[in-house]
Amino acid sequence: MKVADVFRFRNAEIKALHLTWIAFFITFYVWFNMAPLASSMLKSVDWLTTDDLRLFAICNVALTIPARIVVGMALDRFGPRRVFSVLMVLMSIPALFFAFGNTMTQLLVSRLVLSSIGASFVVGIHMTAMWFKPKDIGFAEGFYAGWGNFGSAAAAISLPTIALHMYGGEDGWRWAIAQSAIVMAAYGVYYWFAITDGPVGTVHRKPRKAVALEVSTWGDMVKLILWTIPLVGVLAILVWRIQNMGYLSTTGAAICYAVIFAVVCYQIIQILRVNVPILKKGVPEDDKYPFNSVAALNSTYFANFGAELAVVSMLPMFFEETWSLSATAAGLIAASFAFVNLVARPMGGLVSDRMGNRRFVMLSYMFGIAVGFAMMGLMNSSWPLIIAVGITVFTSFFVQGAEGATFGIIPSIKRRLTGQISGMAGAYGNVGAVVYLTIFTFVTPTQFFYIIAAGAFISWVLCVMWLKEPESGFSDEYHVSSVDRQIEEEERLRQATATST
């Protein structure tokens, strides 16, 4: 696939790619519609405080992690078209509640529920994988993610203008948020009728069970349990932060911790229920896949996407304080970190497609991230500002490229489990953000850059040890195992029986 191919709008897979990144763009536009309107909210609602908005910011990412896991399971069962459409329509409801909420509880609960919309990322990853062949998947996934992520920047640029000049008045911010929610719901309905799950005639390969990821060996099952615990366990950090901010009583926090513990236990039970019968029966050789590769990619997304979310949150203040810049100038310079996404992420996928070795590309990007953040740790006020900006862009280039390379590999690991694997890796990106942002509250910016550089280096080591070049990573078609064919035949017989009765 060439870059020029993205302009061939009559091509069915290109049309699907554009329809899907637009859906992702809109969901991220709605997800990040509060921050650019924060000052308008404070002026309009006299009982809101800056601390309240900080709490809403935490709630805005709280349920994204479990939502990505649940949506990943739903994808393998119902397909990305239905899941994406339903997600957009359903999430417009809490967005509208937030827009017109008049109490602290209404705003907090609606923002908490709305955080589930962050799961949209993994839906589009699955849809794109169904439309593009393994040899083209890197660029296609990178293009989808790069332009979709731009939705958050578009919200920051356009929403204040819409609130002030299109609607105006004290409630302008409410109507601006409501408008974004209504557009999302309308596009969700349109998406249902405008696209199919892959080209017509494509077989949607499903896992035998959607409640937990299938594995190939007993050792892999233990590793899956160990990698599952942090996905929900990290929410305990959010509870701890909310309690420390005074918004949650000791009793309330204890209840939250108990719920988190119960959910972790439930997930472990589901893993055992799904995998013990499969492993006792024996997994055919042609159906086995390396779970170590999944673990390695969980670590890369923790280290690249997690670092991106955390750095974007602190970079404006770092430039403002280190070089004594105005808030506007610092914000514009810091924005360069996000804007690189438009080019670097598709390029990461394109390089992954062209190099003929996706593992080597992944290793190169992760090493580049470690070097980049280590160099940012060395920066101080004695450095020329232009050099500091150059290093920031250099680092961002590797961070975004690594994100593209990560999802250039995932669809080729195990075709029928793509949704669950994407959901797990995507969730680890949010786990990384929570961990890094929490660490940032205890260290200086310089120490922070060194810590995330160390995180990237550890991920690089894990990739050296665990990541394998995916089978059929550059083929015209994805690998189909004997179990895939058996599941397909069982589904065909089930449908035939249902039709005859």
Side-chain angles (χ1 to χ4, degrees):
M1 181 180 180
K2 301 175 182 177
V3 175
D5 288 340
V6 299
F7 298 105
R8 300 181 190 279
F9 299 109
R10 293 184 179 179
N11 189 316
E13 63 259 31
I14 297 301
K15 180 184 176 183
L17 177 62
H18 289 303
L19 286 173
T20 303
W21 79 253
I22 291 172
F24 181 35
F25 175 94
I26 292 173
T27 56
F28 264 48
Y29 188 98
V30 172
W31 191 15
F32 292 99
N33 63 12
M34 184 190 74
L37 298 171
S39 58
S40 298
M41 293 173 64
L42 288 174
K43 292 175 185 174
S44 167
V45 184
D46 55 8
W47 46 265
L48 265 184
T49 67
T50 304
D51 286 341
D52 293 331
L53 294 179
R54 287 175 181 167
L55 176 63
F56 294 160
I58 295 173
C59 293
N60 204 40
V61 298
L63 295 186
T64 306
I65 298 170
R68 285 189 169 185
I69 302 169
V70 173
V71 165
M73 296 174 180
L75 279 174
D76 290 328
R77 184 171 182 81
F78 301 108
R81 177 183 66 95
R82 294 175 181 173
V83 174
F84 220 154
S85 296
V86 170
L87 186 69
M88 284 188 276
V89 173
L90 281 182
M91 286 299 104
S92 67
I93 297 172
L96 286 170
F97 265 97
F98 184 81
F100 300 110
N102 283 316
T103 68
M104 179 69 179
T105 302
Q106 288 175 352
L107 295 181
L108 190 148
V109 172
S110 58
R111 207 71 219 178
L112 192 64
V113 176
L114 183 58
S115 66
S116 303
I117 201 174
S120 62
F121 168 69
V122 297
V123 189
I125 285 291
H126 195 137
M127 177 63 92
T128 306
M130 296 191 77
W131 277 93
F132 287 85
K133 297 176 180 177
K135 63 182 181 180
D136 298 323
I137 195 64
F139 177 72
E141 299 284 25
F143 185 88
Y144 155 78
W147 281 89
N149 270 322
F150 188 63
S152 60
I157 294 169
S158 63
L159 278 173
T161 303
I162 292 173
L164 286 172
H165 300 291
M166 184 177 291
Y167 296 108
E170 290 187 351
D171 290 336
W173 67 272
R174 294 183 184 275
W175 289 106
I177 289 176
Q179 176 183 292
S180 68
I182 292 170
V183 169
M184 181 173 69
Y187 194 82
V189 174
Y190 170 72
Y191 193 79
W192 180 284
F193 296 103
I195 198 169
T196 57
D197 288 335
V200 176
T202 299
V203 177
H204 180 208
R205 303 193 185 283
K206 303 176 182 179
R208 285 169 287 201
K209 300 287 184 181
V211 293
L213 187 64
E214 298 171 25
V215 293
S216 305
T217 67
W218 293 102
D220 286 350
M221 188 178 72
V222 175
K223 294 172 188 172
L224 174 60
I225 291 172
L226 293 177
W227 281 89
T228 298
I229 292 172
L231 287 176
V232 179
V234 74
L235 293 178
I237 296 177
L238 290 173
V239 173
W240 170 73
R241 287 187 66 184
I242 293 173
Q243 185 187 7
N244 270 12
M245 291 171 69
Y247 289 99
L248 195 61
S249 67
T250 303
T251 304
I255 293 172
C256 290
Y257 291 134
V259 170
I260 291 169
F261 179 75
V263 172
V264 170
C265 292
Y266 173 78
Q267 286 196 313
I268 293 174
I269 292 171
Q270 293 303 320
I271 290 171
L272 296 173
R273 287 183 61 188
V274 167
N275 285 291
V276 169
I278 293 174
L279 295 173
K280 280 185 175 178
K281 185 179 178 182
V283 180
E285 281 300 318
D286 70 339
D287 195 53
K288 290 182 178 178
Y289 74 96
F291 181 79
N292 278 352
S293 288
V294 178
L297 296 175
N298 289 343
S299 78
T300 63
Y301 218 59
F302 179 105
N304 54 50
F305 188 65
E308 178 190 346
L309 290 182
V311 169
V312 166
S313 302
M314 53 75 69
L315 207 55
M317 187 174 65
F318 171 72
F319 273 102
E320 183 179 351
E321 293 180 352
T322 305
W323 281 275
S324 301
L325 301 175
S326 67
T328 304
L332 286 173
I333 291 173
S336 63
F337 196 93
F339 272 93
V340 172
N341 204 15
L342 287 178
V343 176
R345 189 147 181 167
M347 186 173 291
L350 187 63
V351 171
S352 181
D353 289 342
R354 297 288 173 81
M355 287 291 289
N357 189 326
R358 297 191 189 279
R359 180 178 181 274
F360 174 77
V361 173
M362 190 76 255
L363 287 169
S364 301
Y365 271 119
M366 293 312 297
F367 193 77
I369 293 174
V371 172
F373 280 126
M375 292 172 67
M376 290 181 72
L378 296 172
M379 294 191 310
N380 57 53
S381 58
S382 66
W383 285 47
L385 182 58
I386 187 68
I387 300 293
V389 173
I391 291 175
T392 301
V393 171
F394 167 85
T395 307
S396 177
F397 181 86
F398 278 91
V399 170
Q400 322 284 356
E403 294 168 6
T406 299
F407 282 91
I409 296 175
I410 283 176
S412 299
I413 293 179
K414 192 65 183 172
R415 176 64 162 169
R416 72 170 186 270
L417 305 177
T418 298
Q420 289 170 306
I421 296 173
S422 298
M424 191 175 196
Y428 258 96
N430 285 75
V431 173
V434 171
V435 171
Y436 282 142
L437 282 172
T438 303
I439 290 174
F440 181 62
T441 60
F442 299 104
V443 300
T444 66
T446 296
Q447 293 169 331
F448 181 65
F449 287 133
Y450 286 139
I451 288 170
I452 53 180
F457 183 74
I458 291 171
S459 175
W460 178 81
V461 172
L462 293 178
C463 287
V464 169
M465 295 190 299
W466 293 343
L467 184 61
K468 293 184 177 179
E469 183 67 22
E471 187 177 357
S472 69
F474 296 95
S475 305
D476 284 332
E477 299 298 338
Y478 292 95
H479 171 71
V480 178
S481 71
S482 56
V483 174
D484 290 325
R485 288 191 290 272
Q486 180 187 342
I487 294 173
E488 184 182 338
E489 180 62 19
E490 290 172 354
E491 178 66 14
R492 190 186 65 77
L493 290 174
R494 189 189 64 78
Q495 290 182 359
T497 305
T499 303
S500 62
T501 55

